[in-house]
Amino acid sequence: MGVGKSTVGQLLAERLGVGYRDTDDDIVAAGGRSIADIFVEDGEPAFRAVEKQAVRTALAGHPGVLSLGGGAILDTDTRALLAGHRVLYLSMDVEEAVRRTGLGVARPLLAVNPRKQWRELMEARRHLYEEVATAVVPTDGRTPEEVTRAALDALELKEA
C-alpha cells in the first residue's frame, strides 16, 4: 500500500511502449464500488474471490504491465499463475509507508492501529512477495523515475 505500484507501473508501461492495467481498477469498474466499500459491505473473503478472478482475467488477456493489489498474492492459485511472468516486488519500510500514505482510514486493512497492522501484514506477506518476484526494488527515498529505472535494470528490460 502506497509503494507506488500504479505510478511505477504506468511509467514502466510508457517506457516499454506497452499498455498498463490495474486489477484494482478492474474490480472497481466491474462492481461499481470502491475497494473499501467491497471490504466493508461484503467482507474480505468476498473481495479476495473477486480479486482472484480479476487477476486471472488480466493475466490471460493483457500483454503489458499489470499492477496487482497488495493482497493478490495471498491466493495459492494466483501465485501459480504468476509463475513464468516477470514479477516486480516494490518494497518499502513502515516509516516510508507512513510518510507516503499516512496509513489513513481509506485502507480497510489498516483502520485500527495502522503501524502495527502494516507491520503484521508485511510480516505475513513479505515471503509471498519474494516467492513470486523476479526482482525486488526498494522504493524508500526514491522518486518514481528512480524506481522505474531500477525496475527496468532489475528486470533486464530495454525501453521502447
Side-chain angles (χ1 to χ4, degrees), residues 93-152:
D93 64 23
V94 69
E95 289 76 19
E96 186 80 356
V98 169
R99 187 182 71 73
R100 290 185 188 184
T101 69
L103 295 179
V105 294
R107 309 289 185 171
L109 292 178
L110 301 177
V112 179
N113 196 348
R115 286 177 191 247
K116 179 178 183 257
Q117 288 178 304
W118 189 91
R119 281 191 181 99
E120 289 172 358
L121 281 174
M122 286 309 300
E123 286 171 13
R125 294 177 179 182
R126 183 172 283 114
H127 73 283
L128 298 174
Y129 293 144
E130 292 169 350
E131 174 187 318
V132 300
T134 306
V136 179
V137 174
T139 64
D140 302 83
R142 288 176 151 174
T143 67
E145 292 77 17
E146 291 168 333
V147 173
T148 301
R149 169 56 40 212
L152 288 166

Side-chain angles (χ1 to χ4, degrees), residues 65-108:
V65 174
L66 179 62
S67 177
L68 307 183
I73 49 79
L74 296 172
D75 182 76
T76 305
D77 295 335
T78 297
R79 291 194 307 276
L81 286 173
L82 292 171
H85 292 276
R86 285 189 173 122
V87 178
L88 180 64
Y89 165 33
L90 300 177
S91 68
M92 72 177 168
D93 64 23
V94 69
E95 289 76 19
E96 186 80 356
V98 169
R99 187 182 71 73
R100 290 185 188 184
T101 69
L103 295 179
V105 294
R107 309 289 185 171

Side-chain angles (χ1 to χ4, degrees), residues 5-75:
K5 293 182 302 288
S6 298
T7 301
V8 171
Q10 290 170 1
L11 286 170
L12 278 172
E14 181 181 300
R15 302 260 167 78
L16 294 169
V18 299
Y20 170 77
R21 186 170 177 175
D22 185 321
T23 56
D24 281 351
D25 292 343
D26 292 349
I27 292 166
V28 169
R33 299 181 289 166
S34 71
I35 301 293
D37 285 347
I38 296 169
F39 261 84
V40 169
E41 294 167 14
D42 302 341
E44 184 175 358
F47 170 76
R48 294 295 174 208
V50 171
E51 179 180 54
K52 177 179 178 174
Q53 186 55 49
V55 172
R56 177 180 300 280
T57 300
L59 283 171
H62 180 71
V65 174
L66 179 62
S67 177
L68 307 183
I73 49 79
L74 296 172
D75 182 76

